[in-house]
């Protein structure tokens, strides 16, 4: 899963058993009415008439509540249940076609037909996720195909079939405004190029287009006037076509381009020569592209030269979120020489605005060639085979020099996996930024034992770099989080905390006004891997010693806060089931 997938990944769930009528009835008790309100004399007998506050709500308010409850994945049966609560609710549900406008592949065929019949002639939102579908794709699209003029939104996630034939081969769906075609990120597509609408241009009504991991032929669609464009891992789109779409979509609000492989001369065999020619055409003469409404821009996994081209020609003064992840593929390339040049200087005021309210800086790395710098609403990622650690340094220097010196004073969270990094690099980092949080991670599902590198990093934190000057590495460090907790790792952690806190105590006695080293506020340890127990019990001796060395620092083992041996009986026994790392 790439950077953007990790950034955007989420899980939506729906509880089919949820009954809005029951929830509202329980939430709003009966009103206290007078005897006259409750009784009606009929033939000498009193008949009790029960009136609830729900009966008194205006029609429009009930409808608003129903609309809030109903989502894309709300089963049709839940709508039917709403209509069974009372006649008023039934009249509202059955008399409002808009409540039935969402057609999902999760429905059984009878429910799908029920929803289509109740929706009448209003615009339809169509969603088909093959993995969760209860209706065969051919059957599903045959049912909705007869209503193609009502299609307003179509979202298809395919795994084992080509979605193009399932969508009727029409010239266009005249009212289609949103189209999303996706293949799961962990599945390779091997069915060739997908041609939509019989190779004809898309309707001018189409405003939002998304294609993930599926090679849709973009050029024949002649996309223009878009509000949103999202393309990921597309091998059949050229550089010139990307720029044409941007130029012809001045009202664009959202743009995400990721892993457009043709731009690295990797294309389907039948189109390779044509695409290479398109991608290598002269870039001179591209006009300025005004995108005054663009507020969200993502450029991931693209050659640094192409990212530079886009940033040099667009004008997006109202950008509210920008994430860029570029590839450094050549020995003579670097961020400052290829990306942060004078040709993108017009973006500096916008980038300043994105970082102006930042409260901290986050620097993350999963390897020596994978770095991400996150400041406010600006994310800069650097990766690929020719990335060196000095490239990250260049990037930080450019950010501080051009986006505001105040960013250097922000607290920094440093998060990285094991890799070989010299003490000189840490010394440089400490001289440029104020690291207050550190996360060190080691090992993986395929690695039975942790790499020793993070323990070396911990050792660097255990003593002054220059004894005579009492210069410590990362003197502002207040929080550390790590899974380096095998026996050697625990020994190194305890040694580090002891050394730093002992120094602080000594300095308080000798020179209380000139202490440059901060004590730990939080120490968070993770077990469960590398043959280290995730339970508190086997680690009581270590945690007790760490608690003593850490002073006032909070100590956490997995998700359990250590409260000392006095509370260990309760914490360990009662919370043992919660101490398993999942």
């Amino acid at each position: 899963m790439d950077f953007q997938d990790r950034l955007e990944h989420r899980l939506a769930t729906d509880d089919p058993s949820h009954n809005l009528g029951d929830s509202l009835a329980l939430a709003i008790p009966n009103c206290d009415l007078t005897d006259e309100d409750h009784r009606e004399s009929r033939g000498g007998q009193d008949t009790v008439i029960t009136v609830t506050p729900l009966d008194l709500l205006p029609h429009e308010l009930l409808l608003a509540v129903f609309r809030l409850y109903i989502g894309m994945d709300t089963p049709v049966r839940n709508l039917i249940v709403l209509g069974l609560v009372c006649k008023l609710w039934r009249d509202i549900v059955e008399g409002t076609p808009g409540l039935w406008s969402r057609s999902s592949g999760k429905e059984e065929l009878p429910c799908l037909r029920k929803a289509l019949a109740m929706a009448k002639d209003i615009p339809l939102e169509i969603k088909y996720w093959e993995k969760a579908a209860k209706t065969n794709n051919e059957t599903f699209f045959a049912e909705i195909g007869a209503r193609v003029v009502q299609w307003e939104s179509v979202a298809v996630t395919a795994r084992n079939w080509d979605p193009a034939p399932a969508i009727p081969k029409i010239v266009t769906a005249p009212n289609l405004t949103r189209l999303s075609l996706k293949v799961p990120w962990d599945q390779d597509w091997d069915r060739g190029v997908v041609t939509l609408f019989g190779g004809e241009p898309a309707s001018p009504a189409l405003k939002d287009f998304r294609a993930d991991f599926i090679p849709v032929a973009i050029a024949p669609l002649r996309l223009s006037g878009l509000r949103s464009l999202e393309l990921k891992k597309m091998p059949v789109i050229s550089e010139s076509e990307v720029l044409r779409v941007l130029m012809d979509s001045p009202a664009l609000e959202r743009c995400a381009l990721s892993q457009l492989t043709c731009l690295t001369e990797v294309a389907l065999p039948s189109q390779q020569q044509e695409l290479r020619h398109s991608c290598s055409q002269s870039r001179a003469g591209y006009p300025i592209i005004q995108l005054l409404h663009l507020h969200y821009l993502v450029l991931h996994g693209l050659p640094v030269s192409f990212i530079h081209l886009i940033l040099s020609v667009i004008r997006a003064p109202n950008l509210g979120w920008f994430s860029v992840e570029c590839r450094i593929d050549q020995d003579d390339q670097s961020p400052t020489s290829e990306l942060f040049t004078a040709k993108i200087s017009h973006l500096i005021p916008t980038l300043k605005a994105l970082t102006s309210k930042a409260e901290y800086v986050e620097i993350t790395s999963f390897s020596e060639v994978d770095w991400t710098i996150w400041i406010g609403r600006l994310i800069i990622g650097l990766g690929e085979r020719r990335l060196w650690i000095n490239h990250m340094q260049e990037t930080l220097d450019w950010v501080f020099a051009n986006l505001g010196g105040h960013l250097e004073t922000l607290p920094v969270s440093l998060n990285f996996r094991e890799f070989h990094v010299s003490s000189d690099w840490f010394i440089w980092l400490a001289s440029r930024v104020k690291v207050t949080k550190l996360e060190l991670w080691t090992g993986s599902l395929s690695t039975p034992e942790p790499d020793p590198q993070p323990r070396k990093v911990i050792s660097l934190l255990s003593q002054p770099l220059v004894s005579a000057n009492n210069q410590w590495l990362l003197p502002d460090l207040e929080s550390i989080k790590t899974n380096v907790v095998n026996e050697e790792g625990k020994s190194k952690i305890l040694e580090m905390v002891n050394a730093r806190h002992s120094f602080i105590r000594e300095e308080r006695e000798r020179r209380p006004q000139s202490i440059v080293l901060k004590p730990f506020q939080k120490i968070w340890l993770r077990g469960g891997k590398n043959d280290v127990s995730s339970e508190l019990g086997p680690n009581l001796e270590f945690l007790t010693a760490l608690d003593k060395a850490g002073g006032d620092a909070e100590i956490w083992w997995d998700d359990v806060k250590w409260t000392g041996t006095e509370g260990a009986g309760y914490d360990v026994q009662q919370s043992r089931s919660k101490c398993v790392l999942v």
Side-chain angles (χ1 to χ4, degrees), residues 537-559:
N539 300 285
L540 289 180
E541 183 178 351
F542 163 67
L543 291 171
T544 301
L546 186 61
D547 185 31
K548 181 179 179 181
D552 296 330
E554 288 186 9
I555 299 174
W556 291 75
W557 184 268
D558 284 345
D559 295 325

Side-chain angles (χ1 to χ4, degrees), residues 394-414:
E394 289 182 12
T395 302
L396 273 181
D397 287 340
W398 184 91
V399 167
F400 295 152
N402 291 274
L403 304 188
H406 69 283
L407 298 179
E408 292 186 72
T409 66
L410 294 179
V412 172
S413 174
L414 179 61

